[in-house]
Amino acid sequence: SQKDTTALQFENVFVSQLSTVSTAPGRIEVESECGDRSLLALLNGTLPAWIQSLVPNPANGIVTMHILSGEKGNVSISLVDQLGIVKLRTAISLDKGTNSRPLNISSLSGGSYQLILSQDNAMLSLQKLVVVRYSAADLSISFFLSFHP
């Protein structure tokens, strides 16, 4: 079996008085009576799937989602705007391991969105996605500057 050398960086992670923490070489275990279950699952190595990256980001047409899954199964992808309104929702099937799936965002307005990966109504992972839209004037100026230094 291949050794997992994935580096995790956590900032501002606190353990409450109701939590217990134990560590062993290569493992951090956190148990709590409250808090984000997806963070607990990630720290305990039991999170079934998570978003590794969105490429490109910012994007304006098709974005490729790279999702790591610990098991084969179905998940839901939702794109939520800054007001909390779901703008896009789709179901996808994942194989165990790394999965790459395209997502067409061409119908969305420019702005910041949260891409949420969930399974059985439980959030597993989220990533910020920035959608950009260029006006004809923006493209004309860019074209002009590229040919007239």
Side-chain angles (χ1 to χ4, degrees), residues 96-112:
K96 183 175 180 175
T98 301
N99 296 262
S100 295
R101 299 289 188 274
L103 184 66
N104 186 343
I105 58 166
S106 59
S107 65
L108 298 175
S109 300
S112 293

Side-chain angles (χ1 to χ4, degrees), residues 8-141:
L8 298 176
Q9 179 179 352
F10 296 99
E11 295 179 8
N12 300 323
V13 175
F14 299 98
V15 178
S16 74
Q17 293 176 346
L18 299 175
S19 301
T20 59
V21 178
S22 63
T23 61
R27 183 171 176 87
I28 300 172
E29 189 169 320
V30 178
E31 297 175 13
S32 178
E33 293 181 20
C34 63
D36 184 352
R37 297 287 176 216
S38 60
L39 176 59
L40 293 176
L42 176 64
L43 290 172
N44 289 326
T46 59
L47 190 63
W50 61 91
I51 304 164
Q52 290 182 300
S53 64
L54 302 173
V55 179
N57 192 4
N60 64 5
I62 302 290
V63 64
T64 301
M65 303 175 292
H66 298 283
I67 302 169
L68 186 60
S69 180
E71 57 193 35
K72 183 176 181 165
N74 297 318
V75 295
S76 175
I77 297 290
S78 302
L79 267 175
V80 180
D81 69 11
Q82 292 180 328
L83 298 175
I85 299 169
V86 176
K87 295 295 188 175
L88 185 144
R89 180 174 284 142
T90 187
I92 60 172
S93 178
L94 297 176
D95 294 321
K96 183 175 180 175
T98 301
N99 296 262
S100 295
R101 299 289 188 274
L103 184 66
N104 186 343
I105 58 166
S106 59
S107 65
L108 298 175
S109 300
S112 293
Y113 296 85
Q114 292 293 327
L115 190 137
I116 301 171
L117 176 72
S118 57
Q119 186 177 54
D120 300 326
N121 294 321
M123 184 183 75
L124 302 177
S125 180
L126 66 89
Q127 283 256 328
K128 180 180 178 181
L129 174 65
V130 177
V131 176
V132 291
R133 296 287 174 240
Y134 300 107
S135 69
D138 293 336
L139 295 176
S140 296
I141 291 169

